[in-house]
Protein backbone atom coordinates (compact mmCIF):
# COMPACT_ATOMS: atom_id res chain seq x y z
CA UNK A 1 0.00 0.00 0.00
CA UNK A 2 1.13 3.53 -0.72
CA UNK A 3 1.86 5.55 2.39
CA UNK A 4 2.00 9.32 2.68
CA UNK A 5 5.59 9.71 3.76
CA UNK A 6 5.45 13.51 3.41
CA UNK A 7 2.79 13.85 6.12
CA UNK A 8 3.54 13.75 9.84
CA UNK A 9 1.19 11.73 12.05
CA UNK A 10 0.60 12.75 15.68
CA UNK A 11 -1.15 10.85 18.38
CA UNK A 12 -3.41 12.26 21.06
CA UNK A 13 -1.97 10.93 24.35
CA UNK A 14 -5.18 11.59 26.24
CA UNK A 15 -7.09 8.90 24.37
CA UNK A 16 -6.11 5.22 24.39
CA UNK A 17 -7.55 4.97 20.86
CA UNK A 18 -6.44 8.29 19.43
CA UNK A 19 -7.49 9.98 16.23
CA UNK A 20 -4.71 10.40 13.78
CA UNK A 21 -3.94 13.96 12.81
CA UNK A 22 -2.88 15.04 9.35
CA UNK A 23 -0.59 18.06 9.67
CA UNK A 24 0.06 20.36 6.76
CA UNK A 25 2.21 23.43 6.45
CA UNK A 26 0.43 26.78 7.01
CA UNK A 27 1.89 28.05 3.75
CA UNK A 28 1.08 24.94 1.78
CA UNK A 29 -0.58 25.53 -1.56
CA UNK A 30 -1.50 21.90 -2.13
CA UNK A 31 -5.06 21.08 -3.06
CA UNK A 32 -7.26 18.06 -3.46
CA UNK A 33 -6.59 15.45 -0.78
CA UNK A 34 -3.82 17.65 0.65
CA UNK A 35 -5.91 20.81 0.97
CA UNK A 36 -6.12 22.86 4.16
CA UNK A 37 -9.00 22.78 6.60
CA UNK A 38 -10.05 24.76 9.64
CA UNK A 39 -12.22 22.05 11.07
CA UNK A 40 -11.13 20.52 14.37
CA UNK A 41 -13.67 17.75 14.50
CA UNK A 42 -13.89 14.55 12.49
CA UNK A 43 -15.93 15.05 9.37
CA UNK A 44 -16.06 12.18 6.94
CA UNK A 45 -18.11 14.12 4.40
CA UNK A 46 -15.62 16.95 4.05
CA UNK A 47 -12.72 14.51 4.09
CA UNK A 48 -14.14 12.88 1.02
CA UNK A 49 -14.64 16.25 -0.67
CA UNK A 50 -11.40 18.08 -1.47
CA UNK A 51 -13.27 21.25 -2.40
CA UNK A 52 -14.82 21.42 1.08
CA UNK A 53 -11.32 20.98 2.55
CA UNK A 54 -9.98 23.93 0.60
CA UNK A 55 -12.83 26.23 1.57
CA UNK A 56 -12.31 25.58 5.29
CA UNK A 57 -8.58 26.50 5.40
CA UNK A 58 -6.93 25.10 8.59
CA UNK A 59 -3.62 23.53 9.13
CA UNK A 60 -4.68 20.45 11.06
CA UNK A 61 -7.17 17.92 9.92
CA UNK A 62 -8.65 14.83 11.61
CA UNK A 63 -8.78 12.01 9.12
CA UNK A 64 -9.57 8.35 9.10
CA UNK A 65 -11.17 6.36 11.89
CA UNK A 66 -10.06 5.52 15.37
CA UNK A 67 -6.96 3.38 15.35
CA UNK A 68 -4.92 1.51 17.92
CA UNK A 69 -1.56 2.76 19.13
CA UNK A 70 1.21 2.32 16.63
CA UNK A 71 -1.07 1.76 13.65
CA UNK A 72 -0.49 3.53 10.32
CA UNK A 73 -2.92 5.10 7.88
CA UNK A 74 -2.93 3.52 4.45
CA UNK A 75 -4.60 5.53 1.67
CA UNK A 76 -5.09 3.83 -1.70
CA UNK A 77 -3.52 5.70 -4.62
CA UNK A 78 -6.76 5.42 -6.59
CA UNK A 79 -8.67 7.38 -3.95
CA UNK A 80 -6.08 10.16 -3.86
CA UNK A 81 -6.03 10.42 -7.64
CA UNK A 82 -9.84 10.46 -7.78
CA UNK A 83 -9.92 13.28 -5.23
CA UNK A 84 -7.43 15.32 -7.23
CA UNK A 85 -9.30 14.77 -10.49
CA UNK A 86 -12.59 15.74 -8.89
CA UNK A 87 -11.11 18.84 -7.30
CA UNK A 88 -9.36 20.21 -10.38
CA UNK A 89 -12.21 19.28 -12.71
CA UNK A 90 -14.56 21.37 -10.63
CA UNK A 91 -12.06 24.24 -10.50
CA UNK A 92 -11.59 24.19 -14.27
CA UNK A 93 -15.36 24.02 -14.78
CA UNK A 94 -15.90 27.13 -12.66
CA UNK A 95 -12.91 28.99 -14.08
CA UNK A 96 -14.22 28.43 -17.60
CA UNK A 97 -17.78 29.51 -16.69
CA UNK A 98 -18.81 26.39 -18.55
CA UNK A 99 -22.49 27.27 -18.93
CA UNK A 100 -21.70 30.66 -20.42
CA UNK A 101 -19.06 29.09 -22.65
CA UNK A 102 -21.59 26.53 -23.91
CA UNK A 103 -23.94 29.37 -24.84
CA UNK A 104 -21.10 30.93 -26.82
CA UNK A 105 -20.55 27.57 -28.53
CA UNK A 106 -24.26 27.39 -29.42
CA UNK A 107 -24.13 30.78 -31.15
CA UNK A 108 -20.94 29.82 -32.98
CA UNK A 109 -22.46 26.52 -34.12
CA UNK A 110 -25.58 28.31 -35.35
CA UNK A 111 -23.42 30.70 -37.36
CA UNK A 112 -21.55 27.73 -38.84
CA UNK A 113 -24.77 26.05 -40.00
CA UNK A 114 -26.11 29.28 -41.48
CA UNK A 115 -22.87 29.83 -43.38
CA UNK A 116 -22.70 26.25 -44.67
CA UNK A 117 -25.42 26.60 -47.30
CA UNK A 118 -26.97 23.33 -48.48
CA UNK A 119 -24.12 21.07 -47.34
CA UNK A 120 -22.95 20.95 -43.72
CA UNK A 121 -19.53 19.58 -42.82
CA UNK A 122 -20.30 17.99 -39.46
CA UNK A 123 -16.65 17.28 -38.67
CA UNK A 124 -15.84 20.92 -39.30
CA UNK A 125 -18.82 21.91 -37.14
CA UNK A 126 -17.54 19.79 -34.24
CA UNK A 127 -14.01 21.19 -34.57
CA UNK A 128 -15.33 24.75 -34.70
CA UNK A 129 -17.45 24.21 -31.59
CA UNK A 130 -14.53 22.59 -29.75
CA UNK A 131 -12.16 25.42 -30.66
CA UNK A 132 -14.73 28.03 -29.67
CA UNK A 133 -15.26 26.29 -26.33
CA UNK A 134 -11.52 26.32 -25.58
CA UNK A 135 -11.10 29.99 -26.46
CA UNK A 136 -14.20 30.94 -24.46
CA UNK A 137 -12.89 28.96 -21.47
CA UNK A 138 -9.57 30.77 -21.76
CA UNK A 139 -11.20 34.20 -21.90
CA UNK A 140 -13.43 33.50 -18.88
CA UNK A 141 -10.49 32.14 -16.90
CA UNK A 142 -8.36 35.20 -17.61
CA UNK A 143 -11.31 37.37 -16.61
CA UNK A 144 -11.30 35.73 -13.17
CA UNK A 145 -7.51 35.95 -12.89
CA UNK A 146 -7.69 39.73 -13.33
CA UNK A 147 -10.67 40.15 -10.99
CA UNK A 148 -9.65 38.05 -7.99
CA UNK A 149 -9.86 40.95 -5.53
CA UNK A 150 -13.14 42.19 -6.98
CA UNK A 151 -14.71 38.74 -6.89
CA UNK A 152 -13.64 38.30 -3.27
CA UNK A 153 -15.78 41.32 -2.30
CA UNK A 154 -18.96 40.10 -4.04
CA UNK A 155 -21.35 37.61 -2.48
CA UNK A 156 -22.13 35.77 -5.70
CA UNK A 157 -18.48 35.36 -6.75
CA UNK A 158 -16.46 34.99 -3.55
CA UNK A 159 -16.68 31.18 -3.72
CA UNK A 160 -15.04 30.99 -7.14
CA UNK A 161 -11.81 28.94 -7.28
CA UNK A 162 -9.37 31.87 -7.08
CA UNK A 163 -10.98 34.00 -4.33
CA UNK A 164 -11.64 30.91 -2.20
CA UNK A 165 -8.06 29.71 -2.59
CA UNK A 166 -8.94 26.37 -4.17
CA UNK A 167 -6.46 26.96 -6.97
CA UNK A 168 -3.43 29.20 -7.33
CA UNK A 169 -3.21 32.14 -9.70
CA UNK A 170 -0.23 30.76 -11.70
CA UNK A 171 -2.13 27.50 -12.15
CA UNK A 172 -5.16 29.38 -13.49
CA UNK A 173 -2.97 31.39 -15.87
CA UNK A 174 -1.39 28.18 -17.16
CA UNK A 175 -4.83 26.66 -17.70
CA UNK A 176 -6.13 29.75 -19.52
CA UNK A 177 -3.04 30.03 -21.74
CA UNK A 178 -3.11 26.37 -22.75
CA UNK A 179 -6.83 26.49 -23.58
CA UNK A 180 -6.50 29.67 -25.63
CA UNK A 181 -3.54 28.36 -27.59
CA UNK A 182 -5.12 24.97 -28.20
CA UNK A 183 -8.45 26.44 -29.31
CA UNK A 184 -6.89 28.96 -31.69
CA UNK A 185 -4.62 26.28 -33.18
CA UNK A 186 -7.55 23.91 -33.69
CA UNK A 187 -9.54 26.58 -35.53
CA UNK A 188 -6.54 27.49 -37.68
CA UNK A 189 -5.88 23.86 -38.66
CA UNK A 190 -9.43 22.52 -39.03
CA UNK A 191 -11.29 25.67 -40.15
CA UNK A 192 -9.33 28.61 -41.55
CA UNK A 193 -7.14 31.48 -40.47
CA UNK A 194 -10.05 33.93 -40.59
CA UNK A 195 -11.93 31.99 -37.91
CA UNK A 196 -8.77 31.61 -35.83
CA UNK A 197 -8.08 35.34 -36.11
CA UNK A 198 -11.61 36.20 -34.97
CA UNK A 199 -11.25 33.85 -32.00
CA UNK A 200 -7.90 35.31 -30.95
CA UNK A 201 -9.18 38.88 -31.39
CA UNK A 202 -12.24 38.14 -29.28
CA UNK A 203 -10.06 36.63 -26.57
CA UNK A 204 -7.93 39.78 -26.43
CA UNK A 205 -10.99 42.05 -26.55
CA UNK A 206 -12.70 40.24 -23.67
CA UNK A 207 -9.75 39.66 -21.36
CA UNK A 208 -7.65 42.78 -21.97
CA UNK A 209 -10.21 45.43 -22.96
CA UNK A 210 -13.63 44.56 -21.56
CA UNK A 211 -12.35 43.23 -18.22
CA UNK A 212 -10.35 46.33 -17.18
CA UNK A 213 -13.10 48.62 -18.55
CA UNK A 214 -15.49 47.20 -15.98
CA UNK A 215 -13.57 49.11 -13.33
CA UNK A 216 -13.19 52.29 -15.39
CA UNK A 217 -16.34 53.26 -17.33
CA UNK A 218 -19.94 52.03 -17.93
CA UNK A 219 -19.22 51.72 -21.64
CA UNK A 220 -17.90 48.25 -20.78
CA UNK A 221 -21.40 46.84 -21.32
CA UNK A 222 -21.39 47.87 -24.98
CA UNK A 223 -17.88 46.49 -25.46
CA UNK A 224 -19.07 43.24 -23.90
CA UNK A 225 -21.96 43.16 -26.36
CA UNK A 226 -19.46 43.30 -29.23
CA UNK A 227 -17.59 40.39 -27.66
CA UNK A 228 -20.79 38.37 -27.54
CA UNK A 229 -21.64 39.17 -31.16
CA UNK A 230 -18.38 37.82 -32.62
CA UNK A 231 -18.83 34.02 -32.02
CA UNK A 232 -21.64 33.59 -34.62
CA UNK A 233 -19.52 35.56 -37.07
CA UNK A 234 -16.66 33.20 -36.25
CA UNK A 235 -18.86 30.20 -37.03
CA UNK A 236 -19.96 31.68 -40.36
CA UNK A 237 -16.37 32.43 -41.31
CA UNK A 238 -15.29 28.90 -40.37
CA UNK A 239 -17.95 27.42 -42.68
CA UNK A 240 -17.75 29.79 -45.65
CA UNK A 241 -14.26 31.24 -45.35
CA UNK A 242 -15.53 34.79 -45.74
CA UNK A 243 -17.61 37.51 -44.13
CA UNK A 244 -20.60 38.81 -46.07
CA UNK A 245 -23.64 40.97 -45.39
CA UNK A 246 -25.73 37.89 -44.58
CA UNK A 247 -23.22 36.86 -41.93
CA UNK A 248 -24.09 39.98 -39.91
CA UNK A 249 -27.67 38.89 -39.19
CA UNK A 250 -27.05 36.71 -36.14
CA UNK A 251 -24.26 38.93 -34.73
CA UNK A 252 -26.66 41.89 -34.88
CA UNK A 253 -29.28 39.89 -32.98
CA UNK A 254 -26.69 38.91 -30.35
CA UNK A 255 -25.53 42.49 -29.94
CA UNK A 256 -28.99 44.00 -29.46
CA UNK A 257 -30.15 41.10 -27.28
CA UNK A 258 -27.29 41.47 -24.83
CA UNK A 259 -28.17 45.03 -23.83
CA UNK A 260 -31.56 44.30 -22.20
CA UNK A 261 -30.13 41.07 -20.82
CA UNK A 262 -27.21 42.78 -19.08
CA UNK A 263 -29.19 45.86 -18.07
CA UNK A 264 -31.63 43.64 -16.18
CA UNK A 265 -28.76 41.76 -14.55
CA UNK A 266 -26.92 44.97 -13.63
CA UNK A 267 -30.08 46.41 -12.08
CA UNK A 268 -30.70 43.28 -10.00
CA UNK A 269 -27.08 43.05 -8.82
CA UNK A 270 -26.41 46.73 -8.20
CA UNK A 271 -25.20 46.23 -4.63
CA UNK A 272 -22.87 43.42 -5.60
CA UNK A 273 -21.36 45.41 -8.46
CA UNK A 274 -20.88 48.40 -6.16
CA UNK A 275 -19.14 46.23 -3.56
CA UNK A 276 -16.91 44.75 -6.27
CA UNK A 277 -15.84 48.17 -7.55
CA UNK A 278 -17.35 47.78 -11.04
CA UNK A 279 -18.53 50.86 -12.97
CA UNK A 280 -21.83 49.58 -14.31
CA UNK A 281 -24.41 51.72 -16.10
CA UNK A 282 -27.08 51.06 -13.48
CA UNK A 283 -24.94 52.42 -10.62
CA UNK A 284 -25.05 55.93 -12.07
CA UNK A 285 -28.81 55.67 -12.49
CA UNK A 286 -30.45 55.42 -9.05
CA UNK A 287 -34.00 55.63 -10.41
CA UNK A 288 -33.37 53.00 -13.11
CA UNK A 289 -35.07 55.18 -15.72
CA UNK A 290 -32.13 55.43 -18.13
CA UNK A 291 -31.31 51.75 -17.63
CA UNK A 292 -34.86 50.81 -18.62
CA UNK A 293 -34.76 53.09 -21.67
CA UNK A 294 -31.53 51.50 -22.91
CA UNK A 295 -33.10 48.07 -22.53
CA UNK A 296 -36.30 49.04 -24.36
CA UNK A 297 -34.47 50.81 -27.18
CA UNK A 298 -32.33 47.77 -27.95
CA UNK A 299 -35.36 45.49 -27.79
CA UNK A 300 -36.94 47.62 -30.51
CA UNK A 301 -33.83 47.17 -32.65
CA UNK A 302 -34.68 43.47 -32.77
CA UNK A 303 -37.96 44.11 -34.61
CA UNK A 304 -36.67 44.47 -38.23
CA UNK A 305 -34.27 41.52 -38.03
CA UNK A 306 -36.90 39.01 -39.10
CA UNK A 307 -37.71 40.99 -42.22
CA UNK A 308 -34.03 41.43 -43.05
CA UNK A 309 -33.41 37.70 -42.67
CA UNK A 310 -36.24 37.07 -45.13
CA UNK A 311 -35.27 39.85 -47.53
CA UNK A 312 -31.63 38.71 -47.65
CA UNK A 313 -32.64 35.13 -48.37
CA UNK A 314 -31.42 33.72 -45.05
CA UNK A 315 -34.79 32.48 -43.78
CA UNK A 316 -38.35 32.05 -44.99
CA UNK A 317 -41.32 34.35 -44.41
CA UNK A 318 -42.44 32.30 -41.42
CA UNK A 319 -39.32 33.30 -39.55
CA UNK A 320 -40.21 36.91 -40.24
CA UNK A 321 -43.46 36.40 -38.33
CA UNK A 322 -41.86 34.48 -35.47
CA UNK A 323 -39.01 36.94 -35.03
CA UNK A 324 -41.36 39.91 -34.93
CA UNK A 325 -43.54 38.26 -32.29
CA UNK A 326 -40.48 37.41 -30.19
CA UNK A 327 -39.21 40.98 -30.41
CA UNK A 328 -42.62 42.32 -29.40
CA UNK A 329 -42.71 39.96 -26.43
CA UNK A 330 -39.33 40.97 -25.03
CA UNK A 331 -40.10 44.63 -25.78
CA UNK A 332 -43.27 44.36 -23.71
CA UNK A 333 -41.27 43.20 -20.68
CA UNK A 334 -38.84 46.08 -21.18
CA UNK A 335 -41.80 48.48 -21.42
CA UNK A 336 -43.22 47.16 -18.15
CA UNK A 337 -39.83 47.64 -16.53
CA UNK A 338 -39.73 51.23 -17.81
CA UNK A 339 -43.18 52.00 -16.40
CA UNK A 340 -42.56 50.30 -13.06
CA UNK A 341 -38.90 49.91 -12.22
CA UNK A 342 -38.99 47.13 -9.65
CA UNK A 343 -36.84 44.06 -9.12
CA UNK A 344 -39.77 41.88 -10.15
CA UNK A 345 -40.10 43.54 -13.56
CA UNK A 346 -36.33 43.53 -14.05
CA UNK A 347 -36.28 39.80 -13.31
CA UNK A 348 -39.16 39.27 -15.75
CA UNK A 349 -37.20 41.04 -18.49
CA UNK A 350 -34.12 38.98 -17.63
CA UNK A 351 -36.07 35.71 -17.92
CA UNK A 352 -37.60 36.88 -21.21
CA UNK A 353 -34.12 37.51 -22.57
CA UNK A 354 -33.08 33.98 -21.57
CA UNK A 355 -36.02 32.61 -23.52
CA UNK A 356 -35.61 34.88 -26.54
CA UNK A 357 -32.17 33.79 -27.72
CA UNK A 358 -32.66 29.99 -28.02
CA UNK A 359 -36.07 30.45 -29.66
CA UNK A 360 -34.67 33.00 -32.11
CA UNK A 361 -31.73 30.79 -33.08
CA UNK A 362 -33.93 27.69 -33.27
CA UNK A 363 -36.37 29.44 -35.60
CA UNK A 364 -33.53 30.72 -37.74
CA UNK A 365 -32.19 27.19 -38.15
CA UNK A 366 -35.64 25.71 -38.74
CA UNK A 367 -36.61 28.18 -41.47
CA UNK A 368 -33.19 28.80 -43.00
CA UNK A 369 -32.78 28.75 -46.77
CA UNK A 370 -29.95 26.85 -48.40
CA UNK A 371 -28.10 27.88 -51.56
CA UNK A 372 -30.24 25.54 -53.68
CA UNK A 373 -33.52 27.25 -52.77
CA UNK A 374 -33.83 29.88 -55.49
CA UNK A 375 -36.84 32.12 -55.99
CA UNK A 376 -39.17 31.20 -58.84
CA UNK A 377 -38.36 34.38 -60.73
CA UNK A 378 -34.68 33.47 -60.77
CA UNK A 379 -35.52 29.97 -62.05
CA UNK A 380 -37.62 31.42 -64.88
CA UNK A 381 -34.87 33.82 -65.89
CA UNK A 382 -32.35 30.96 -65.97
CA UNK A 383 -34.67 28.89 -68.17
CA UNK A 384 -35.09 31.79 -70.57
CA UNK A 385 -31.33 32.25 -70.77
CA UNK A 386 -30.86 28.56 -71.59
CA UNK A 387 -33.53 28.65 -74.30
CA UNK A 388 -32.08 31.75 -75.96
CA UNK A 389 -28.56 30.31 -75.99
CA UNK A 390 -29.75 27.02 -77.52
CA UNK A 391 -31.69 28.83 -80.27
CA UNK A 392 -28.60 30.80 -81.27
CA UNK A 393 -26.65 27.60 -81.77
CA UNK A 394 -29.08 26.33 -84.40
CA UNK A 395 -30.66 27.94 -87.43
CA UNK A 396 -32.24 31.33 -87.21
CA UNK A 397 -35.84 30.99 -86.26
CA UNK A 398 -38.83 33.23 -85.89
CA UNK A 399 -39.10 35.20 -82.64
CA UNK A 400 -40.70 33.02 -80.01
CA UNK A 401 -44.26 33.75 -79.14
CA UNK A 402 -45.00 34.46 -75.48
CA UNK A 403 -46.31 31.53 -73.46
CA UNK A 404 -49.82 32.05 -72.22
CA UNK A 405 -49.66 29.54 -69.37
CA UNK A 406 -46.37 30.75 -67.98
CA UNK A 407 -46.15 30.56 -64.16
CA UNK A 408 -45.86 34.02 -62.63
CA UNK A 409 -43.08 34.88 -60.25
CA UNK A 410 -43.81 34.20 -56.61
CA UNK A 411 -44.64 37.31 -54.64
CA UNK A 412 -43.61 38.02 -51.10
CA UNK A 413 -46.09 37.37 -48.32
CA UNK A 414 -47.82 40.52 -47.08
CA UNK A 415 -46.32 40.13 -43.63
CA UNK A 416 -42.86 40.68 -45.08
CA UNK A 417 -43.69 44.33 -45.70
CA UNK A 418 -45.23 44.89 -42.29
CA UNK A 419 -41.91 44.76 -40.47
CA UNK A 420 -40.42 47.75 -42.28
CA UNK A 421 -40.11 50.60 -39.83
CA UNK A 422 -37.69 53.50 -39.61
CA UNK A 423 -35.54 53.74 -36.50
CA UNK A 424 -34.23 57.30 -36.22
CA UNK A 425 -31.96 56.55 -33.26
CA UNK A 426 -28.59 54.86 -33.16
CA UNK A 427 -27.61 51.84 -31.01
CA UNK A 428 -24.91 53.76 -29.18
CA UNK A 429 -24.44 54.14 -25.42
CA UNK A 430 -25.54 57.31 -23.74
CA UNK A 431 -23.49 57.87 -20.60
CA UNK A 432 -23.20 60.94 -18.45
CA UNK A 433 -20.15 61.19 -16.26
Amino acid sequence: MWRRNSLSLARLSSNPSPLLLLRTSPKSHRHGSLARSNSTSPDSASAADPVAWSQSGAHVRFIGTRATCGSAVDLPPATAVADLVKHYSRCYWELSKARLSMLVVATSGTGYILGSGSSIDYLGLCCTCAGTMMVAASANSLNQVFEVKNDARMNRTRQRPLPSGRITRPHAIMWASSMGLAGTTLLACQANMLAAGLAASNLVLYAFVYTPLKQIHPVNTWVGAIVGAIPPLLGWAAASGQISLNSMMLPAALYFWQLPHFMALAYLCRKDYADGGFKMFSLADPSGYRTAWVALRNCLYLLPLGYLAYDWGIASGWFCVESTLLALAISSTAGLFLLNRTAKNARRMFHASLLYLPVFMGGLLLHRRSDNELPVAAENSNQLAELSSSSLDGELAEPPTPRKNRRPAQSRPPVAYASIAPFPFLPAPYVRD
Side-chain angles (χ1 to χ4, degrees), residues 199-363:
S201 301
N202 213 29
L203 172 61
V204 173
L205 184 62
Y206 183 82
F208 299 99
V209 179
Y210 165 72
T211 298
L213 266 179
K214 291 170 67 177
Q215 304 176 49
I216 298 174
H217 197 273
V219 78
N220 68 80
T221 304
W222 282 264
V223 176
I226 296 175
V227 172
I230 291 180
L233 190 64
L234 184 158
W236 185 292
S240 64
Q242 61 181 355
I243 295 176
S244 61
L245 182 62
N246 288 357
S247 66
M248 294 296 179
M249 172 56 58
L250 191 54
L254 263 293
Y255 178 86
F256 296 133
W257 165 81
Q258 285 177 95
L259 271 299
H261 176 79
F262 285 124
M263 289 299 163
L265 183 63
Y267 185 85
L268 292 171
C269 302
R270 285 180 294 177
K271 185 180 182 304
D272 247 6
Y273 282 126
D275 293 340
F278 295 118
K279 305 293 184 181
M280 307 306 293
F281 188 83
S282 59
L283 297 182
D285 180 29
S287 66
Y289 182 79
R290 290 164 56 198
T291 302
W293 260 119
V294 170
L296 178 59
R297 185 175 71 227
N298 284 273
C299 287
L300 295 177
Y301 291 143
L302 297 170
L303 281 171
L305 295 183
Y307 167 75
L308 293 177
Y310 167 76
D311 189 60
W312 295 351
I314 301 174
S316 65
W318 283 108
F319 177 74
C320 178
V321 179
E322 296 169 0
S323 175
T324 303
L325 293 177
L326 280 173
L328 289 174
I330 192 174
S331 298
S332 65
T333 61
L336 288 175
F337 178 53
L338 177 64
L339 295 176
N340 189 12
R341 294 175 297 281
T342 62
K344 180 180 179 180
N345 287 334
R347 190 172 292 108
R348 182 182 288 113
M349 182 174 66
F350 180 76
H351 291 159
S353 68
L354 293 178
L355 181 63
Y356 174 88
L357 187 60
V359 176
F360 181 89
M361 292 195 302

